[in-house]
Amino acid sequence: MTDKEYMKRALELAGKGVGHTNPNPMVGAVIVKEGRIIGEGYHERCGDLHAERNALKHCTEDPAGATIYVTLEPCCHHGKQPPCVDALIEAGIRRVVVGSADPNPLVAGKGNRILREHGIEVEEGVLREECDALNEVFMHYITTGRPYVVLKYAMSLDGKIAAYTGESKWISGEESRRHAHGLRNRYAAILVGEGTVLADDPLLNCRIDGGKDPVRVICDSKLRTPLNSQVVATAKEIPTIIATCASEEAYAPYIEKGCRVLRCPGEDGRVDLEALMENLGREGIDSVLIEGGSTIHWSALKAGLAQKVFTYTAPKLIGGAAAKTPVEGEGFPSPDAGVQLAVRNVRRLGEDILIESEVIRDVHGNRGRDRND
């Protein structure tokens, strides 16, 4: 097998940690000696062994003189776990093949340098694009301190997310809905507006085997979320944050139910989404999936907060001048003034089409990560 083939295996292992490592990265490691894989491991959940130490732990023979393939530069600082470079040096690893550089200022090339200083051969950038893509959330969060923001919606072929009556169940098919629950497992938090809670009374949990419920965030400027809604009633079981502009006198009933209330007043009487993202980032929430409908989508895009968009398109025509579209609000004055996307993946989900896009230029002219640069 080649270096790329071993790194592909390390990527497969890393992906097993999806939804459980936040705000740490997903990392996989494969140890090879004399053409044989003698150890494998991945970072299984935040606080547990890092991939390198996990792979060493599962070695079937002495790893001295072996090569380790790791999707992210080995760490060299003390956190919840000790430095992985120390473990590799102590184990007598001869060669380290790295996928992504670690942008964490505590690492940022220092891990690879320490290994070289101890006589270990280090090769960097093997399948770097794939390794970077795996940890796009971590890369964004560790460099900005803000959550990676994803918009997700299902629409008909004529661009409607609901009928003129407001009815939206179900536009997309079962396979698309199952995939969407995978996103709830993958990202740390899910955000909706109070309009979605009032209209649908959603639970906003993750309904896949072994999945992790995201932190639920409700943007509710006037604190209208019903106390008997599902999100409030289950707030002691699933972490729930209500972001509002309302005064503190109204918080007590929600706090008693187990909710956290954050005051994020904006100039227009609506929750300041930028301030909210700053707050969430400080609390270790590295990613936010916005499922909240056309108004909150517009607010996020207008503020330049989004990094990715998942669009589920169903082969249906709904029509209706008053039927809602994925992004409403004031809108942009011209096509060129809008948010520019790059389509990264298109695939069938049952009868639906899923389009996965990245923001490559937001409304403020800021450029996202463009792999074609």
Side-chain angles (χ1 to χ4, degrees), residues 308-323:
K308 177 169 281 195
V309 180
F310 285 94
T311 304
Y312 303 85
T313 304
K316 300 174 182 178
L317 299 174
I318 295 176

Side-chain angles (χ1 to χ4, degrees), residues 9 46 48 57 65 67 84 97 114 211 214 263 298 300 303 326:
R9 175 56 184 162
C46 184
D48 285 359
K57 177 183 176 181
T67 295
C84 288
V97 180
I114 290 170
R263 192 163 189 270
W298 163 250

